[in-house]
Amino acid sequence: MNAMIRQLPRLSAASTKLSRCAFASRSVHIEKKIEELGIELPAAPAPKANYNITCRVPDENTLYVSGHLPITADGTLITGALNPEGGGLTVEEGYEAARHCGLNIIATLKNHLGDLDKVEQVIKVFGIVNSSTDFKHQHLVMDGCSDVIMEVFDKPVGYHARSAIGVNTLPLDASVEVEAIVKIKS
Amino acid sequence: MNAMIRQLPRLSAASTKLSRCAFASRSVHIEKKIEELGIELPAAPAPKANYNITCRVPDENTLYVSGHLPITADGTLITGALNPEGGGLTVEEGYEAARHCGLNIIATLKNHLGDLDKVEQVIKVFGIVNSSTDFKHQHLVMDGCSDVIMEVFDKPVGYHARSAIGVNTLPLDASVEVEAIVKIKS
Amino acid sequence: MNAMIRQLPRLSAASTKLSRCAFASRSVHIEKKIEELGIELPAAPAPKANYNITCRVPDENTLYVSGHLPITADGTLITGALNPEGGGLTVEEGYEAARHCGLNIIATLKNHLGDLDKVEQVIKVFGIVNSSTDFKHQHLVMDGCSDVIMEVFDKPVGYHARSAIGVNTLPLDASVEVEAIVKIKS
């Protein structure tokens, strides 16, 4: 994998642990499931410029989640285009990258909501795949994101609408970027 | 047109006929109009992976429609980039492809709602056009989708917000992909 | 900057002046701020085809804003790809282009709402940056749009969710395209 490694600013582990303790007495079915699945959530991304990681619509329970990049639990950004025939990322590597986008979105939801059981419906995900022009399997790459959302939230909560497209380049050379719209329980 | 032909899984004609019968006694103004316009709807696309073709927001009447590809009524996927000067698709061929994306979305709405008169407003369409880098008329291509939506639903129901962009590649080499947000009557 | 200059159809200055007069007695805090910031809004873009510049969801106060291009106050469309190392637009020029997309969206909101104080929340912006394949700073370009939204609306009203992506081409060779979702006061 010809991907570069970068460190991005993250919320500290301490602040993540703190919020976990604060909600220890609440229902944590989804978080137990995440543990049982052996999934390690990355730290939730922190804002980096004049925009927010999420925006909740006033007087509604709809949460818009900004574009998330494939950052692993150790802080590595997965980079490089999907380009199996040209020595770039394979479908399998892209699938893993999209899965990490999904995990970063779940980390953001946990950070925003305190408790992932508050998610009523993952409504929509939009996935953008960094691709060489001859790569035509963006849908198989985005299955990595859809699959982890369904593993964690299952039907009907996790069963989302989706679009997947290819592009010639993405911010920081990220391999995949995913944004989402989520309905929160009132 | 240097497009390839592919067969994608579809809902069977039988299931489509069944749902048509079930709603025979309901108002079918839009569907009559579709007949009068001589438009043949394709079979509605079926889910192919861990995501849904549509997602209705709980407690709301907003329907998110996943990215739809330009599949003709005989099941052919229109493929290849818009690239008039390089021997690829012309604006006219792209327009036709975008029109088929719109028809596939309408088929999905009919399949989901039973009755297209339940559409209160086509709110937004987002069109992504497979394009060579020197092609700059994605808006003219997407007019094929906007025009068929307006032919079928007219103002104000069909009068939607829209964005159109170009990309270097799309899933399965589709020429156009369109997603939509639709308000349903309560 | 290797950008071409084009004139696009706009609402006339007269119609803009008329709507400004009609709301002269209403609160105009945001518009005063725009004046104080020395910002000149362009004329609001007019519809060019079978779609609308905005679509308001019936029975809701959510406004979907169609993709807006970087048109300056004198009617010039900023064109060309971000390609600093190949003689194309620099990050600074792209930032300016994205700022103009933001200003065009604000002009559309003013034209639609009469009074920008009616904006309750800028929920989401999606920015698409015309990019050479080796350009990886679409987020820095889109800061031009996010910054002007925050200058004008400030927190919390202007504090939006955002995604930024790169593409190989855009309609009319625009350097940036931005669409938005905005909550309006009821």
Side-chain angles (χ1 to χ4, degrees):
Chain A
M1 187 173 105
N2 65 353
M4 295 177 293
I5 293 176
R6 290 167 191 268
Q7 294 291 335
L8 295 187
R10 316 292 286 177
L11 294 179
S12 71
S15 73
T16 305
K17 195 175 289 179
L18 204 64
S19 70
R20 190 179 299 149
C21 294
F23 294 96
S25 62
R26 307 179 65 160
S27 68
V28 286
H29 299 102
I30 295 290
E31 278 152 78
K32 270 192 186 164
K33 196 173 176 189
I34 288 174
E35 272 185 42
E36 286 165 10
L37 288 165
I39 290 173
E40 185 185 5
L41 287 185
K48 294 170 200 69
N50 243 339
Y51 68 96
N52 207 347
I53 295 298
T54 61
C55 185
R56 189 163 187 164
V57 185
D59 306 321
E60 291 182 29
N61 292 310
T62 309
L63 187 74
Y64 284 78
V65 180
S66 295
H68 276 56
L69 305 184
I71 302 171
T72 64
D74 69 6
T76 306
L77 174 65
I78 301 174
T79 62
L82 272 282
N83 184 11
E85 298 183 14
L89 266 63
T90 63
V91 168
E92 292 72 24
E93 289 170 325
Y95 178 99
E96 275 304 305
R99 182 178 175 90
H100 283 292
C101 290
L103 290 173
N104 274 268
I105 287 174
I106 294 168
T108 284
L109 291 174
K110 183 177 168 180
N111 188 55
H112 181 91
L113 303 173
D115 176 358
L116 285 170
D117 289 287
K118 288 186 181 170
V119 173
E120 183 168 349
Q121 180 72 50
V122 181
I123 298 170
K124 165 82 192 300
V125 303
F126 183 54
I128 307 103
V129 179
N130 192 343
S131 303
S132 63
T133 298
D134 63 350
F135 181 73
K136 309 292 178 191
H137 299 296
Q138 288 77 18
H139 52 302
L140 301 181
V141 168
M142 269 303 293
D143 285 348
C145 181
S146 293
D147 285 353
V148 76
I149 289 172
M150 287 292 278
E151 283 170 29
V152 168
F153 294 106
D154 218 338
K155 277 192 190 179
V157 174
Y159 202 44
H160 53 279
R162 186 184 94 178
S163 301
I165 67 170
V167 293
N168 65 323
T169 181
L170 279 176
L172 304 175
D173 199 27
S175 299
V176 186
E177 177 175 344
V178 182
E179 60 168 31
I181 308 172
V182 175
K183 182 83 174 185
I184 307 304
K185 288 176 188 161
S186 54
Chain B
M1 188 172 103
N2 66 351
M4 294 177 295
I5 293 176
R6 289 168 191 270
Q7 294 292 336
L8 295 187
R10 316 292 288 179
L11 293 180
S12 72
S15 72
T16 305
K17 194 175 290 181
L18 204 64
S19 70
R20 190 180 298 150
C21 295
F23 294 96
S25 62
R26 307 181 64 160
S27 68
V28 285
H29 299 103
I30 295 289
E31 277 151 80
K32 270 191 185 165
K33 197 172 174 188
I34 288 174
E35 271 185 43
E36 286 164 10
L37 288 166
I39 291 172
E40 186 184 5
L41 287 185
K48 294 169 201 71
N50 244 338
Y51 69 95
N52 207 346
I53 295 297
T54 61
C55 184
R56 190 164 188 163
V57 185
D59 306 321
E60 290 181 30
N61 292 310
T62 309
L63 187 75
Y64 284 78
V65 179
S66 296
H68 276 57
L69 304 184
I71 302 170
T72 64
D74 69 5
T76 306
L77 174 64
I78 301 174
T79 61
L82 271 283
N83 184 11
E85 298 183 15
L89 266 62
T90 62
V91 169
E92 291 71 26
E93 290 170 324
Y95 178 98
E96 275 305 305
R99 181 179 176 91
H100 283 292
C101 290
L103 290 173
N104 275 268
I105 288 174
I106 293 168
T108 285
L109 291 174
K110 183 177 168 180
N111 188 56
H112 181 90
L113 303 172
D115 175 357
L116 286 170
D117 290 287
K118 287 186 182 170
V119 173
E120 182 169 350
Q121 178 74 49
V122 180
I123 299 170
K124 166 85 193 297
V125 304
F126 183 54
I128 305 102
V129 179
N130 193 342
S131 304
S132 64
T133 299
D134 63 350
F135 181 73
K136 309 291 179 192
H137 299 296
Q138 288 78 20
H139 52 302
L140 301 180
V141 169
M142 270 302 293
D143 285 348
C145 180
S146 293
D147 286 352
V148 77
I149 289 172
M150 287 293 278
E151 284 170 28
V152 169
F153 293 106
D154 217 338
K155 279 193 191 180
V157 173
Y159 202 43
H160 53 279
R162 185 184 95 178
S163 301
I165 67 170
V167 293
N168 65 323
T169 182
L170 279 176
L172 303 175
D173 200 27
S175 298
V176 186
E177 176 174 346
V178 182
E179 61 168 32
I181 308 172
V182 175
K183 182 84 174 186
I184 307 304
K185 288 177 189 162
S186 54
Chain C
M1 188 173 106
N2 65 352
M4 295 176 294
I5 293 177
R6 288 169 191 269
Q7 294 290 337
L8 295 186
R10 316 292 287 178
L11 293 180
S12 72
S15 72
T16 305
K17 195 176 291 179
L18 205 65
S19 70
R20 191 179 300 150
C21 294
F23 294 95
S25 62
R26 306 179 67 159
S27 68
V28 285
H29 298 103
I30 294 290
E31 278 151 80
K32 270 192 186 166
K33 197 173 174 188
I34 288 174
E35 271 185 43
E36 287 165 8
L37 288 165
I39 290 172
E40 187 185 3
L41 287 184
K48 295 170 200 69
N50 243 337
Y51 69 96
N52 207 346
I53 296 297
T54 60
C55 185
R56 190 164 187 162
V57 185
D59 305 322
E60 290 182 29
N61 292 310
T62 309
L63 188 74
Y64 284 78
V65 180
S66 295
H68 276 57
L69 304 185
I71 302 171
T72 63
D74 70 5
T76 307
L77 175 65
I78 301 174
T79 61
L82 272 282
N83 184 10
E85 297 183 14
L89 266 63
T90 62
V91 169
E92 292 71 26
E93 290 170 323
Y95 177 99
E96 275 305 304
R99 181 179 176 90
H100 283 292
C101 290
L103 290 172
N104 274 270
I105 288 174
I106 293 168
T108 285
L109 291 175
K110 184 177 166 180
N111 187 58
H112 181 91
L113 303 173
D115 175 359
L116 286 169
D117 289 288
K118 287 186 182 169
V119 173
E120 183 168 349
Q121 180 74 50
V122 181
I123 298 170
K124 166 84 193 298
V125 303
F126 183 53
I128 307 102
V129 179
N130 191 342
S131 304
S132 64
T133 299
D134 63 351
F135 181 73
K136 309 291 178 191
H137 299 296
Q138 289 77 18
H139 52 303
L140 301 181
V141 168
M142 269 303 292
D143 285 348
C145 181
S146 293
D147 285 352
V148 76
I149 289 172
M150 287 293 277
E151 283 170 30
V152 168
F153 293 106
D154 217 339
K155 277 191 191 179
V157 173
Y159 202 44
H160 53 279
R162 187 184 94 179
S163 300
I165 68 170
V167 293
N168 65 323
T169 181
L170 279 176
L172 303 175
D173 200 26
S175 298
V176 186
E177 177 175 344
V178 182
E179 61 168 32
I181 308 171
V182 176
K183 181 84 174 186
I184 308 304
K185 288 175 188 163
S186 55

